[in-house]
Amino acid sequence: MGIAGTDVSKQAADMILLNDNFASIVTGVEEGRLIFDNLKKSIAYTLTSNIPEITPFMSYVLFGLPLPMSIIAILMIDLGTDLWPAISFAYEVPESDIMQRAPRNPIHDKLVNKRLVMFSYMQIGAIQACAGFTTYFVLMMSNGWFPQDLINLSEQWDNKYIDDLEDSYGQQWSYESRKALESCCYGTFFFTIVVTQWADLFASKTRKNSLVMQGLENQVLNTSVIFTCFLATFVLNTPFVNEVLGVQGFRLEIGFLALPFAFAIGLYDEFRRFFIRNYPGGYIYKETFY
């Protein structure tokens, strides 16, 4: 006891109740579980965007595609659009079953474990990468470049001395026009990651409960979506700013292509959590519950 206890008992104790109220133990356990949960959610959300950010450079190196996304755009995501949403998980309310869970096994249930990494990278991250490359290839095709003709094209594409590079229809492209199209690709891939990260943000709100059960009480998180929307719009459409950052705007119908992937992320995670709740100990629980 922090008030009535003696100094000797305090020195020997593993826990000191400052208000001498045993109910504080329950409150402390709940707060500790909430902090652990929210840290996991924030890490899972942050790790997800790594896959759609690194795969453009892998495609550039392995397949010789014209670079789909720039380093500046990646920095805009990591230091701009992802920053506020990642912090907003600190304000997330506890899930309804947080005190019904068994005590955490400190040996196996780490803050970052294999299931969390696999979920972020190989599941949600893979969907985001597919979304980015879909918008990239559609933008290229709408400008005369078919996907099969982009393979091993990067060396010629980046050669400033080639001003008559022919696309799939035989139209000639100068170096400046190719780089202008490339800037549009940067903007498209950037916008696609931002949109799919919105879905990932709401999917990461809970580890087990449905989003309907959890609700949208976290106003800091809700406001972060509005912030990222305005920031992405500002970066893509503000003169001089988009030129400095090397990204350009694009036709709205191409940007809409990211929406089905965002809905797919939301639906996939809802079904995943449904099986986790209803079939504890099953395959999906063992492989995806992080």
Side-chain angles (χ1 to χ4, degrees):
M1 296 297 182
I3 299 175
T6 64
D7 291 339
V8 174
S9 63
K10 292 177 186 178
Q11 292 174 7
D14 293 322
M15 179 187 299
I16 300 175
L17 298 176
L18 297 180
N19 58 358
D20 287 8
N21 186 353
F22 282 103
S24 301
I25 298 176
V26 179
T27 304
V29 171
E30 182 178 7
E31 188 67 23
R33 291 186 175 190
L34 175 62
I35 293 172
F36 185 81
D37 263 16
N38 289 346
L39 280 172
K40 268 187 172 286
K41 296 170 186 178
S42 181
I43 293 171
Y45 168 81
T46 305
L47 290 180
T48 301
S49 61
N50 289 348
I51 293 299
E53 288 173 352
I54 197 173
T55 46
F57 295 94
M58 294 176 60
S59 68
Y60 176 79
V61 173
L62 298 177
F63 304 109
L65 297 179
L67 193 60
M69 191 177 184
S70 67
I71 296 176
I72 299 298
I74 291 177
L75 291 175
M76 282 301 304
I77 293 173
D78 292 340
L79 303 178
T81 58
D82 268 2
L83 195 58
W84 188 342
I87 295 174
S88 69
F89 284 107
Y91 301 89
E92 188 62 39
V93 297
E95 297 182 39
S96 58
D97 69 329
I98 194 169
M99 294 303 290
Q100 278 74 50
R101 300 174 189 170
R104 178 175 65 89
N105 187 331
I107 298 176
H108 301 290
D109 195 3
K110 303 290 186 180
L111 185 62
V112 178
N113 53 28
K114 177 183 175 182
R115 286 177 289 182
L116 186 148
V117 174
M118 294 297 291
F119 172 76
S120 297
Y121 282 176
M122 304 308 296
Q123 297 174 49
I124 305 300
I127 297 175
Q128 291 188 351
C130 289
F133 278 103
T134 297
T135 54
Y136 167 74
F137 285 126
V138 169
L139 178 62
M140 282 295 202
M141 284 191 293
S142 66
N143 285 274
W145 298 93
F146 291 168
Q148 63 270 20
D149 296 323
L150 294 173
I151 298 176
N152 297 322
L153 188 67
S154 59
E155 186 175 349
Q156 293 176 291
W157 184 277
D158 294 328
N159 192 333
K160 62 178 64 177
Y161 299 106
I162 298 178
D163 279 329
D164 56 354
L165 189 62
E166 293 187 356
D167 62 16
S168 303
Y169 294 108
Q171 304 172 103
Q172 293 185 346
W173 287 70
S174 65
Y175 176 77
E176 288 76 14
S177 59
R178 296 197 304 270
K179 288 301 174 180
L181 177 58
E182 190 176 282
S183 296
C184 288
C185 292
Y186 295 166
T188 305
F189 217 106
F190 165 77
F191 178 77
T192 301
I193 294 178
V194 170
V195 171
T196 51
Q197 279 290 82
W198 292 343
D200 181 37
L201 179 67
F202 288 105
S204 300
K205 275 175 65 69
T206 66
R207 295 174 59 206
K208 194 173 183 180
N209 284 353
S210 168
L211 183 61
V212 178
M213 299 165 60
Q214 183 73 359
L216 300 174
E217 297 180 25
N218 189 348
Q219 296 304 320
V220 178
L221 185 145
N222 298 336
T223 309
S224 70
V225 176
I226 301 174
F227 166 76
T228 56
C229 180
F230 278 108
L231 180 60
T233 304
F234 174 79
V235 168
L236 291 172
N237 298 291
T238 304
F240 183 71
V241 174
N242 53 16
E243 295 176 6
V244 171
L245 297 177
V247 294
Q248 294 293 333
F250 46 87
R251 294 201 303 272
L252 194 59
E253 59 267 24
I254 294 179
F256 280 143
L257 292 174
L259 294 179
F261 291 93
F263 286 121
I265 290 174
L267 289 175
Y268 170 77
D269 212 58
E270 278 294 320
F271 278 113
R272 181 186 68 86
R273 292 195 299 266
F274 171 81
F275 284 104
I276 287 174
R277 291 193 306 272
N278 291 277
Y279 302 97
Y283 176 80
I284 294 179
Y285 182 95
K286 292 178 180 178
E287 295 299 324
T288 67
F289 182 59
Y290 57 86

